Amino acid sequence: MGWHGRPFLGLDLETSGTDPEQDCIVTAAVVRWGGGLPTAARPWVAVPEFEIPAEAEAVHHWSTEEATAQGTDPAVVLAEVIDAVVSGVGQGYPLVVMNAPFDLTLLDRAARRLGVVPLAERATPYVLDPRVLDKQVDRYRRGRRRLEDLCTHWCASLAGPAHDSQVDAIAACDLVYRIAKRHTWLQRKTLAELHDAQQKWATQQNTSFRDYLARTPGRELEALGVRLDWPMVPAATAAALEEHRADPLAAMHAAGEVDAAEYHYCTRERSTRAHAVTADGDRTCWGCGLETAGNQ
């Protein structure tokens, strides 16, 4: 039996916002999924470290007051979530996380902030990300690719409202199973091979999206915020980015995402634009893709 026919471990977080470096966990769930059904699930509600803004409350319907009244100390929640993941990974389960770089980065930063040993220091899970897999097997499909959109497209279960941690964790597992069942070449890879392949695919996908933003008038600066890391942004990379917050291109250079990052005059755009620069001085305009030799 291939990996797709064995149990998965699903993880989902609902949070106070969209910045994994700064926001906190509101709810979490770890589920064991196999044979088309969840076989075990554990949910948590955490006392929020920060106020939950109205925009986040509108998504997951947890207010600061409700989460505080029903929640557990966030350090305890973090420790228990990480314990559950480490236990499952130790039993050989792959970890399924929709948009893994967000949840796993936030889990890591919250653990470091609250004095909990991070997951990365206790286990190295094989991660399965339905967002990356879906984009790889169906690259040119138009439309949004949120969890609920993927569930509709792949006829996966969404047994309750989206943005409920337990519902979303189960749905992510079901998505991975259905994608692998339809695209059997994925089944022929080992979990280690598939994890490594997703790292490559995610980098390609994020690079493509970053370049699209850089070419889109009015969205050029958004490109500088697209991270290439998967399944988590390492803390060292985040530190380099923070150190150069005032100069996003320098930050990308410090994080190793480009050989060098500088502003140069682009003859095609007829303006000074952001360029990726190689060690020999060759440069590529992010706006239009024009390549210029280093001696020009």
Side-chain angles (χ1 to χ4, degrees):
M1 180 186 297
W3 61 264
H4 81 295
R6 300 192 180 108
F8 301 159
L9 195 72
L11 168 69
D12 186 77
L13 309 176
E14 294 300 322
T15 66
S16 62
T18 59
D19 184 350
E21 299 291 341
Q22 303 291 336
D23 284 303
C24 65
I25 295 173
V26 178
T27 68
V30 174
V31 305
R32 191 174 69 181
W33 186 98
L37 295 170
T39 57
R42 185 173 180 189
W44 290 266
V45 179
V47 174
E49 299 174 67
F50 320 114
E51 287 288 322
I52 301 172
E55 296 83 358
E57 182 181 343
V59 172
H60 52 58
H61 307 298
W62 281 93
S63 67
T64 303
E65 294 73 22
E66 291 170 326
T68 300
Q70 299 183 42
T72 301
D73 182 281
V76 173
V77 170
L78 272 166
E80 292 181 352
V81 169
I82 292 172
D83 283 346
V85 172
V86 170
S87 176
V89 170
Q91 297 176 63
Y93 301 152
L95 181 62
V96 176
V97 192
M98 173 71 180
N99 192 17
F102 179 84
D103 283 27
L104 294 184
T105 299
L106 190 145
L107 191 73
D108 181 85
R109 304 305 189 267
R112 295 175 189 277
R113 189 168 60 242
L114 294 171
V116 176
V117 179
L119 175 62
E121 296 181 13
R122 297 185 57 192
T124 307
Y126 294 129
V127 177
L128 299 171
D129 187 337
R131 186 170 182 264
V132 174
L133 294 173
D134 170 75
K135 285 187 175 183
Q136 183 63 25
V137 301
D138 201 353
R139 301 181 193 182
Y140 305 111
R141 186 176 79 249
R142 293 183 178 275
R144 304 181 73 173
R145 301 201 189 211
R146 301 168 304 174
L147 181 68
E148 50 266 51
D149 301 315
L150 299 191
C151 286
T152 298
H153 178 76
W154 293 99
C155 300
S157 65
L158 194 61
H163 303 292
D164 175 292
S165 294
Q166 188 167 315
V167 170
D168 288 1
I170 292 169
C173 290
D174 195 23
L175 276 170
V176 168
Y177 174 77
R178 290 174 183 270
I179 293 170
K181 190 173 181 181
R182 188 176 302 180
H183 296 272
T184 56
W185 62 273
L186 293 171
Q187 302 173 26
R188 293 192 287 273
K189 291 183 178 291
T190 66
L191 287 172
E193 291 169 342
L194 191 54
H195 181 97
D196 290 346
Q198 286 172 102
Q199 284 186 314
K200 180 181 71 174
W201 299 337
T203 298
Q204 293 170 343
Q205 292 164 9
N206 292 334
T207 299
S208 176
F209 181 57
R210 187 179 72 182
D211 292 348
Y212 161 76
L213 291 175
R215 295 192 305 269
T216 304
R219 303 191 70 181
E220 296 92 343
L221 292 180
E222 293 180 49
L224 302 178
V226 177
R227 302 272 68 84
L228 307 182
D229 305 275
W230 184 97
M232 184 189 79
V233 178
T237 298
L241 295 172
E242 179 62 27
E243 183 181 352
H244 298 84
R245 180 182 288 272
D247 188 341
L249 287 177
M252 296 182 69
H253 184 206
E257 294 185 0
V258 294
D259 292 328
E262 303 170 359
Y263 289 93
H264 289 273
Y265 184 81
C266 174
T267 56
R268 181 181 292 168
E269 297 282 337
R270 296 184 179 179
S271 63
T272 300
R273 303 298 296 270
H275 284 69
V277 184
T278 62
D280 60 5
D282 294 346
R283 58 188 184 270
T284 303
C285 176
W286 277 15
C288 65
L290 179 66
E291 297 181 358
T292 305
N295 58 0
Q296 297 183 34

